[in-house]
Amino acid sequence: YERPSKSQLKRDMTALQKLGVQLLELPVSQFKNLDLPESLRDAIEMARKITSHEGRRRQLQLIGKLMRTVDAEPIQDAISRMNGENRAEALRHHAIEHWRDQMLARDTALTEFRLRHPTINVQRLERLVKEARAEQSSQRPTRASRELFRLVRDTIDNTSNRNNSSNQNDSSHRNGSLDQNGSSNPDQPAREDD
């Protein structure tokens, strides 16, 4: 039997302490959903309340020590899953922003969005685009732009929900444009070469 080297033990302890810091930095709503031992949960909740630098450092060391007594793999998997969901939500948000920005920049994007989402209230969409463009040019507050964002978000969500209930392969080839990988994505506007 060969024991791990001191360096390897230190690397393992540092990795566990970093995992403890990730737990500490999770939003409370996500942290509550994790299945953690009570002692570890209490230590993390206490660390959230500590404002002193030295006190927080000592509490993080305690968290690292407690992390050595638990199976870290399920915790790491849960955090990775949460981070993946956060990334997916960020990508969705960026796609919606991109649609809004493209509609404000060019009329062809407005037409393209209307064709991809035929159930949208066209008059409301055109009114919001017109108002948001006027706000941009006069540098007024962006009420119409925010309202346009919400309309685009709700329309894409409704279309996605409808597509999920029907045959996705058939509908995505009919309604979507091809992305860089050659797959269909109805939630992204076609890119124009400038």
Side-chain angles (χ1 to χ4, degrees):
Y1 172 74
E2 200 173 299
R3 294 182 346 168
S5 68
K6 283 185 178 181
S7 298
Q8 182 60 45
L9 289 174
K10 185 164 182 150
R11 282 192 295 272
D12 293 345
M13 287 188 293
T14 302
L16 289 173
Q17 193 167 5
K18 285 181 180 178
L19 182 58
V21 170
Q22 287 180 325
L23 287 171
L24 183 62
E25 293 173 348
L26 280 177
V28 175
S29 59
Q30 290 179 340
F31 178 71
K32 287 181 180 179
N33 293 332
L34 292 175
D35 183 28
L36 299 173
E38 189 174 338
S39 59
L40 179 59
R41 183 175 298 278
D42 291 343
I44 291 170
E45 288 173 354
M46 177 65 74
R48 289 175 188 256
K49 297 175 186 173
I50 297 174
T51 57
S52 161
H53 176 73
E54 184 60 22
R56 187 176 172 92
R57 185 192 65 77
R58 286 192 312 268
Q59 191 68 14
L60 286 173
Q61 285 182 327
L62 172 65
I63 291 170
K65 181 180 176 183
L66 292 171
M67 290 294 297
R68 288 181 243 150
T69 64
V70 300
D71 184 10
E73 192 171 326
I75 296 170
Q76 184 62 55
D77 291 344
I79 290 175
S80 296
R81 248 189 337 272
M82 288 177 198
N83 288 340
E85 290 168 6
N86 292 343
R87 276 192 290 280
E89 181 60 28
L91 288 173
R92 177 181 162 274
H93 185 84
H94 290 306
I96 295 166
E97 283 180 333
H98 185 72
W99 266 115
R100 179 194 59 198
D101 295 345
Q102 288 299 309
M103 283 190 265
L104 294 177
R106 55 189 181 88
D107 288 332
T108 55
L110 181 65
T111 304
E112 184 181 345
F113 189 80
R114 286 184 359 216
L115 290 173
R116 289 185 186 194
H117 304 280
T119 59
I120 193 167
N121 181 338
V122 176
Q123 289 176 335
R124 182 171 178 225
L125 177 67
E126 289 175 347
R127 177 182 54 81
L128 288 173
V129 168
K130 182 179 176 182
E131 289 175 8
R133 286 176 178 168
E135 286 176 351
Q136 273 184 341
S137 64
S138 66
Q139 297 179 346
R140 287 183 289 171
T142 58
R143 180 201 55 80
S145 183
R146 287 190 306 270
E147 201 173 325
L148 178 61
F149 178 89
R150 286 191 291 270
L151 178 64
V152 170
R153 178 195 62 206
D154 294 345
T155 302
I156 288 173
D157 288 348
N158 290 339
T159 302
S160 295
N161 291 339
R162 250 192 333 275
N163 285 345
N164 287 340
S165 63
S166 66
N167 183 348
Q168 274 204 338
N169 287 338
D170 186 37
S171 64
S172 65
H173 288 293
R174 269 197 323 265
N175 298 330
S177 63
L178 297 180
D179 64 14
Q180 294 88 357
N181 300 325
S183 63
S184 181
N185 186 352
D187 295 337
Q188 282 287 338
R191 303 239 184 236
E192 277 191 6
D193 293 329
D194 292 318

